[in-house]
Amino acid sequence: METDTSGRDSQTGRTVEKGAEIETTVTETDSASDDSGPGEFNYLAGWRLHVITLGLNLGLFLVNFEITIVSTALVSITNDLHEFKRSSWVITAYLITYVAGIVIWAKLSDLFGRKQTCIAALLIFAAFSGGCGAAQSVVQLAVCRAFQGIGGSGIYAVAMVMLYELVRPHRYPLYTATVTVVVALAFALGPLLGGLITDRASWRWVFLINVPFAALAAAVLFLATPSDFPLNNRLRSTAPKQQQGRHPGSSNLARLRAVDFSGGFLMLAATALLITGLEEAASHLDWRGATVLGPLIASAALWAAFLANSWRVSTREGGEKSGRGQSVVEPVFPWRFCTSRVVVGLLLTSFMTGAVSITCIFQLPLRYQTSAGLSALQAGLRLIPFSVCGPLGTVFCAVLSKKRRVPPIYLAIAGELMQIIGLVFLARGDPADPDWRGLYGLEVVVGIGFGLCLGAVSLMVPFVVEKRDLAVGAAAPVQLRFLGSATVISIVTAVGNTWLRDELSGTLTPEQIQAIFRSSDAIRALPTEELERMVRGRFVESFNLQMHIVLGFAVAGVFTVLLMWQRNQVRVP
């Protein structure tokens, strides 16, 4: 990397390489919370900063776009593959590995470098997006979606921490606002483009579209990112040994031994068993079977084991010592998160936000298509109010929080209350009016509330976790948000399908019910219009029941936000 001559500020210790792409700060303040003590930080500037920011935001857009683009294509996908009753597997297979992989990827990026791990994640995501596009059954699609989720979790985890490391803390609000807007826009455009692609082409392009753009993002990062970002070799060679990385001079094998694979396995297994049990209840419409209760009980045991493992790894001999020294094995989820009321509140609020927002993103298009008989594109168009207001909420949050105006926690409380108000009325749809226009206004209220909560949590992360935990701290709220969505989508699907089966059994034959759960197109094939209207009205009532469940999580979100309450509230500079 070529640079011009540099000057030095004697008061701050800042070295500026004029005309180059690097700004280096050597201060006590910047590393006060880092366990290695004072160090040197390589902040990028110029074209490198802009190009890397673009590449990272493209990756973040793709992985979140992939979550929501499926929402309007889901009915067409499962109808084509003749497995409508297993529709939620197409969503949750991705979310399971997405949730379980985020913290692990963050830890791997600490050990092997941000650039290498982010590019690897992009390539995995691209490869299995192609596999999803070629799937011939729901089972094949679910398997490819699971591997696609592994890549997606890596992109999100590493990109988020890289964006925090690109710039100084006083620019966090700008970058946080940019990221949250990108994520919210991905959520907004996904359902619309999913419907457009499904109606105009094949649903397979919903997945294939990721391949060229993920490859482009990987190429951009490969060309623009210094290989050992955030410290370059020149700085690393002059820094004390303990500042040159957590594992200076260690081999790849030694670095792998420092990864808490047992914690990662327990997290993945616990999440997978939880979702599997709920999905089995949704598929078989029975909560009492061994295939439902067995996985749920095993999941509870594994979550307990996961927490015990985090405590053991964090506190055992040779591990963490009140911030001094390094763990032989670094936990994927530091136990100190569990001892901080503010961090626990932030993580639980993320869970509740995902339980409300992403569940609505998936369930609203299903309601429009099953209850009102609309096409995928029409359902996507009707989701626009929710999709647009999510980004608006994050922008409002960033603007109101900037320059210490309003503490983010106040905006999070406002967001939770707006979600509650919207859901109260979402759960009261009239079965006689499946295409009720009042849903649009309620989407606005819930969408803005979601955006406020998402923005507040994202803004607070770098101010409530220690610097050494920034990678995991940036990843954990995302992980909890998608764990909330995966869990609640499975719950509402299971409860809604079970209720629907029981209600329809008194009017339709078992063969007709089975046909509807294979493909929602079977509703149009019912013998009379009156029978069709009755069935569509039952789908409205099923949706209302599902929204009552989601409302419960929104109410719980108020209390989780209050866990973050402090005498001196966090303010964003």
Side-chain angles (χ1 to χ4, degrees):
M1 190 183 304
E2 296 182 1
T3 61
D4 294 335
T5 58
S6 61
R8 190 174 188 82
D9 187 320
S10 60
Q11 293 182 344
T12 65
R14 176 183 172 189
T15 300
V16 181
E17 299 181 353
K18 301 174 183 177
E21 301 83 22
I22 298 177
E23 295 182 15
T24 304
T25 300
V26 187
T27 68
E28 296 280 346
T29 304
D30 281 346
S31 57
S33 61
D34 192 351
D35 44 357
S36 64
E40 302 190 51
F41 296 90
N42 173 28
Y43 297 108
L44 301 183
W47 72 268
R48 283 187 184 273
L49 174 63
H50 301 310
V51 170
I52 294 172
T53 301
L54 179 63
L56 293 175
N57 278 302
L58 176 58
L60 289 172
F61 180 89
L62 289 175
V63 297
N64 288 282
F65 180 71
E66 184 59 24
I67 293 170
T68 59
I69 193 174
V70 177
S71 63
T72 46
L74 189 58
V75 171
S76 297
I77 293 170
T78 52
N79 285 351
D80 185 39
L81 300 177
H82 307 293
E83 285 284 358
F84 178 73
K85 69 178 181 180
R86 295 184 181 273
S87 60
S88 54
W89 263 120
V90 180
I91 303 165
T92 53
Y94 181 88
L95 293 178
I96 287 171
T97 50
Y98 192 103
V99 166
I102 287 176
V103 173
I104 298 173
W105 278 102
K107 279 296 183 185
L108 289 174
S109 75
D110 280 343
L111 297 168
F112 295 101
R114 311 289 191 223
K115 176 180 179 178
Q116 294 84 343
T117 49
C118 195
I119 291 174
L122 281 162
L123 295 178
I124 291 171
F125 181 80
F128 285 98
S129 292
C132 290
Q136 300 299 311
S137 68
V138 168
V139 172
Q140 292 177 11
L141 180 57
V143 170
C144 288
R145 286 280 283 170
F147 282 99
Q148 188 190 29
I150 292 174
S153 65
I155 296 169
Y156 201 108
V158 184
M160 284 298 295
V161 73
M162 285 181 70
L163 285 167
Y164 280 130
E165 292 171 335
L166 284 173
V167 295
R168 292 183 175 80
H170 74 272
R171 299 185 69 184
Y172 283 173
L174 173 63
Y175 269 66
T176 300
T178 301
V179 169
T180 51
V181 168
V182 166
V183 171
L185 281 175
F187 281 5
L189 293 176
L192 184 60
L193 291 181
L196 182 63
I197 291 171
T198 302
D199 280 4
R200 305 295 185 210
S202 167
W203 60 263
R204 298 183 184 279
W205 284 101
V206 165
F207 304 106
L208 296 176
I209 194 174
N210 294 314
V211 178
F213 289 106
L216 175 62
V220 165
L221 295 180
F222 178 79
L223 295 173
T225 310
S227 60
D228 46 6
F229 173 85
L231 288 177
N232 66 29
N233 287 324
R234 183 181 60 79
L235 295 177
R236 204 178 276 271
S237 64
T238 60
K241 185 176 182 180
Q242 68 270 22
Q243 294 171 211
Q244 296 177 18
R246 291 185 176 235
H247 303 274
S250 61
S251 66
N252 286 341
L253 180 60
R255 292 179 179 182
L256 281 174
R257 288 173 178 166
V259 179
D260 180 18
F261 284 112
S262 59
F265 171 77
L266 288 170
M267 182 188 299
L268 176 61
T271 304
L273 285 169
L274 172 64
I275 303 305
T276 298
L278 295 172
E279 291 290 347
E280 285 296 300
S283 299
H284 298 295
L285 308 179
D286 182 6
W287 288 84
R288 295 168 297 180
T291 57
V292 175
L293 295 178
L296 292 179
I297 293 170
S299 175
L302 287 175
W303 279 118
F306 169 73
L307 292 175
N309 178 79
S310 294
W311 176 85
R312 178 185 64 84
V313 173
S314 297
T315 60
R316 70 182 183 177
E317 185 68 24
E320 296 176 350
K321 301 176 182 177
S322 303
R324 297 183 298 274
Q326 300 295 333
S327 299
V328 175
V329 176
E330 301 184 21
V332 297
F333 187 83
W335 183 252
R336 54 184 169 270
F337 282 7
C338 298
T339 62
S340 168
R341 175 176 56 81
V342 176
V343 175
V344 168
L346 185 143
L347 296 177
L348 291 178
T349 299
S350 296
F351 183 96
M352 302 306 167
T353 300
V356 173
S357 60
I358 301 176
T359 302
C360 287
I361 288 172
F362 282 109
Q363 295 305 124
L364 280 167
L366 284 176
R367 183 197 191 282
Y368 286 125
Q369 292 177 77
T370 56
S371 301
L374 302 180
S375 69
L377 178 57
Q378 289 172 321
L381 290 171
R382 281 164 171 74
L383 196 63
I384 285 178
F386 185 93
S387 302
V388 170
C389 288
L392 286 178
T394 61
V395 172
F396 292 157
C397 185
V399 170
L400 293 173
S401 299
K402 192 176 181 182
K403 296 183 179 179
R404 307 176 66 85
R405 291 190 187 101
V406 181
I409 190 172
Y410 295 166
L411 300 173
I413 293 172
E416 294 290 352
L417 293 176
M418 291 182 71
Q419 290 182 110
I420 290 172
I421 293 170
L423 287 165
V424 165
F425 293 98
L426 272 177
R428 301 177 65 183
D430 185 357
D433 187 10
D435 197 13
W436 179 42
R437 304 296 179 178
L439 285 174
Y440 303 153
L442 298 176
E443 287 180 30
V444 170
V445 175
V446 178
I448 292 177
F450 153 60
L452 289 174
C453 292
L454 176 62
V457 168
S458 300
L459 284 170
M460 290 181 71
V461 166
F463 301 100
V464 300
V465 301
E466 298 179 33
K467 187 165 188 176
R468 57 177 166 166
D469 294 326
L470 186 57
V472 177
V478 181
Q479 184 178 39
L480 267 292
R481 186 162 75 246
F482 288 110
L483 177 60
S485 65
T487 302
V488 177
I489 286 171
S490 299
I491 290 173
V492 299
T493 301
V495 171
N497 284 356
T498 302
W499 181 92
L500 195 60
R501 187 273 314 269
D502 292 342
E503 287 296 311
L504 294 178
S505 61
T507 308
L508 302 183
T509 66
E511 292 75 18
Q512 288 173 323
I513 295 174
Q514 188 176 13
I516 289 172
F517 279 108
R518 279 200 304 266
S519 171
S520 63
D521 287 340
I523 298 174
R524 294 189 178 92
L526 292 172
T528 66
E529 289 186 7
E530 182 181 355
L531 197 58
E532 180 179 344
R533 282 196 300 271
M534 183 278 295
V535 171
R536 293 196 186 280
R538 292 292 183 267
F539 270 95
V540 173
E541 293 179 271
S542 175
F543 175 82
N544 292 345
L545 175 61
Q546 292 172 334
M547 289 301 102
H548 276 103
I549 296 171
V550 177
L551 174 61
F553 285 92
V555 172
V558 175
F559 297 98
T560 62
V561 170
L562 292 177
L563 283 175
M564 297 187 285
W565 191 270
Q566 303 176 80
R567 178 174 298 177
N568 297 315
Q569 304 296 349
V570 171
R571 291 180 181 267
V572 178

